[in-house]
Amino acid sequence: MENEKKKEIVFSAIQPSGTITLGNYLGAVRNWVKMQDEYSCIYALADLHTITVRQEPAQMRKNIIDAYASIMACGIDVEKSLFFIQSHVKSHAEMAWILNCYTQFGELSRMTQFKDKSAKHADNINAGLFTYPVLMAGDILLYQADKVPVGADQKQHIEITCDIARRFNGLYGNVFKIPEGFIPKNGARVMSLQDPTRKMSKSDENANGCVHILDTPETIMRKFKRAITDSEAHVHYAEGKDGINNLMSIYSAVTGLSYEQIEKDFEGKGYGDFKTAVGEAVVEHLRPIQERYNQLVKDKGYIEECYRKADEIALKISSRTVNKAMKKIGFVI
Ligand code: AQP
């Protein structure tokens, strides 16, 4: 119990905007799992974030439940960690509005994800897409998180979270803990298999570029065999070899082998052999996750029981921070 009190708080979230990808898993979720014993972990399905892009209602409902079960299947243990659904905890929307008033238009304009996503969804550049980092800052700050395990693409969003928190604390005293991003050494940036200069994304239009953690072994093998490489046919890590570098990074992340060892093992072998080996290693790595997922989705009642319980606790914790912030600002509460 003494130890419990001293544990640092970890917070992270993932959007249920589609089936979880190998990028989401290696960049974020795998670390969430590893941190469960050492830290007091709070994880969320960030469903409020998904509506910055249009969603089909029935598909969205399915995605939320599937994502919850997938994350549990990856190893999030609801007895150890709090794992809730963001839209069920009203503090997130409240905190987002408050922090919007402490965030500058100029700093949001510099966010690369906003630039990327507004180019991708040019017909719907809504205000939510622009203020997405503020909602995310609130998500983290509500739980007074010490550490935030994310992929490298979220680095800028963690920085703006710290800037907003420092600005608020500067005005009102110590309301928010200043968090620290936690980016893995391996798998921090998994790239598309079809365009290795772009990150692997759930919403990639080219289905072959993205490996989903629930893809069948045949699909995974096919995607890796079609992965874009180069004309050199020599497995080694080097600048300009984005496709091979990406495959090496994935292979290293799932096998634990160093780049030197991989280069040695594939000396004199072609890219075909290497792609097959990466595909097989990923299939084996994902097999137990897929088996657990198939068991879990059979019991929707149990899944609901898990998130309802977590939603309630998350509301209690986060309401304390909302109340504190509102009181400091001058609201009558
Ligand atoms: N390609 C990636 N490599 C490593 N980490 C990644 N993450 C996402 N893509 C990669 C990490 O996964 C966590 C959850 O991400 P998210 O769902 O909140 O949002 P995202 O980064 O926008 O993910 P997607 O897959 O690209 O979703 P869509 O297509 O809907 O925009 C984060 O910690 C992220 O760093």
Side-chain angles (χ1 to χ4, degrees):
M1 210 56 206
E2 241 342 87
N3 272 345
E4 279 292 299
K5 275 188 196 151
K6 283 188 201 136
K7 280 186 180 175
E8 283 193 308
I9 298 169
V10 160
F11 177 89
S12 198
I14 187 164
Q15 294 187 70
S17 46
T19 320
I20 309 297
T21 70
L22 188 63
N24 299 139
Y25 173 70
L26 295 177
V29 181
R30 191 160 77 150
N31 284 315
W32 297 9
V33 175
K34 286 184 193 156
M35 295 175 106
Q36 291 182 111
D37 289 318
E38 201 181 330
Y39 298 94
S40 173
C41 295
I42 306 178
Y43 300 125
L45 268 194
D47 55 346
L48 291 174
H49 284 266
T50 65
I51 62 165
T52 53
V53 173
R54 286 285 171 269
Q55 303 288 328
E56 198 280 308
Q59 187 61 45
M60 178 168 160
R61 277 187 282 275
K62 181 176 184 314
N63 284 346
I64 292 170
I65 302 306
D66 286 354
Y68 196 92
S70 305
I71 303 288
M72 283 177 82
C74 287
I76 294 305
D77 179 347
V78 293
E79 298 298 325
K80 288 184 190 164
S81 302
L82 200 59
F83 180 34
F84 67 94
I85 298 182
Q86 182 194 31
S87 64
H88 295 182
V89 180
K90 64 183 173 57
S91 320
H92 291 259
E94 293 170 344
M95 188 52 91
W97 173 251
I98 293 172
L99 297 182
N100 263 319
C101 303
Y102 295 84
T103 307
Q104 298 302 304
F105 183 87
E107 59 189 340
L108 287 176
S109 311
R110 289 192 289 275
M111 295 294 111
T112 51
Q113 182 173 292
F114 171 69
K115 291 180 198 163
D116 290 350
K117 289 212 170 173
S118 46
K120 221 161 138 189
H121 305 279
D123 57 336
N124 182 23
I125 307 177
N126 58 73
L129 199 60
F130 188 66
T131 59
Y132 179 112
V134 183
L135 179 60
M136 176 167 163
D139 295 340
I140 298 166
L141 300 175
L142 278 170
Y143 299 93
Q144 308 291 351
D146 295 281
K147 289 200 164 60
V148 188
V150 286
D153 61 311
Q154 293 297 330
K155 193 166 173 271
Q156 208 184 18
H157 289 166
I158 302 295
E159 284 164 6
I160 197 174
T161 298
C162 296
D163 291 343
I164 297 169
R166 281 194 203 96
R167 183 174 305 138
F168 196 96
N169 286 353
L171 289 165
Y172 303 111
N174 266 350
V175 176
F176 301 122
K177 170 94 55 77
I178 308 297
E180 195 189 312
F182 183 86
I183 296 171
K185 284 196 194 81
N186 258 339
R189 196 186 289 276
V190 178
M191 310 308 278
S192 159
L193 299 184
Q194 288 298 309
D195 177 359
T197 60
R198 287 181 32 212
K199 77 160 188 157
M200 184 180 281
S201 267
K202 289 182 215 89
S203 54
D204 199 333
E205 297 107 41
N206 187 341
N208 286 323
C210 176
V211 174
H212 298 280
I213 63 166
L214 300 178
D215 277 348
T216 63
E218 296 71 32
T219 304
I220 295 174
M221 291 307 295
R222 180 173 43 77
K223 288 179 178 175
F224 277 106
K225 282 183 180 161
R226 288 189 187 169
I228 299 291
T229 48
D230 54 68
S231 54
E232 211 186 302
H234 171 204
V235 179
H236 71 117
Y237 198 96
E239 201 169 322
K241 289 174 70 69
D242 299 324
I244 285 296
N245 294 350
N246 188 35
L247 292 179
M248 284 181 72
S249 142
I250 294 172
Y251 193 58
S252 170
V254 296
T255 59
L257 295 172
S258 67
Y259 287 175
E260 294 72 37
Q261 188 60 48
I262 297 171
E263 286 172 2
K264 230 187 214 168
D265 292 350
F266 287 88
E267 185 88 62
K269 292 186 186 161
Y271 284 169
D273 290 334
F274 184 50
K275 288 181 188 178
T276 303
V278 182
E280 283 170 352
V282 170
V283 166
E284 283 320 308
H285 192 90
L286 296 180
R287 193 184 300 282
I289 294 175
Q290 298 190 350
E291 284 169 3
R292 275 199 298 273
Y293 171 84
N294 290 330
Q295 278 304 315
L296 274 165
V297 282
K298 286 187 197 146
D299 195 348
K300 297 261 166 35
Y302 172 65
I303 294 174
E304 177 163 0
E305 212 178 282
C306 295
Y307 65 72
R308 295 273 175 224
K309 209 161 125 190
D311 297 343
E312 217 176 288
I313 301 171
L315 179 63
K316 259 194 207 144
I317 301 173
S318 57
S319 298
R320 288 202 288 266
T321 307
V322 174
N323 285 343
K324 191 171 171 189
M326 289 183 76
K327 215 164 150 183
K328 292 277 188 185
I329 292 168
F331 287 101
V332 176
I333 57 167

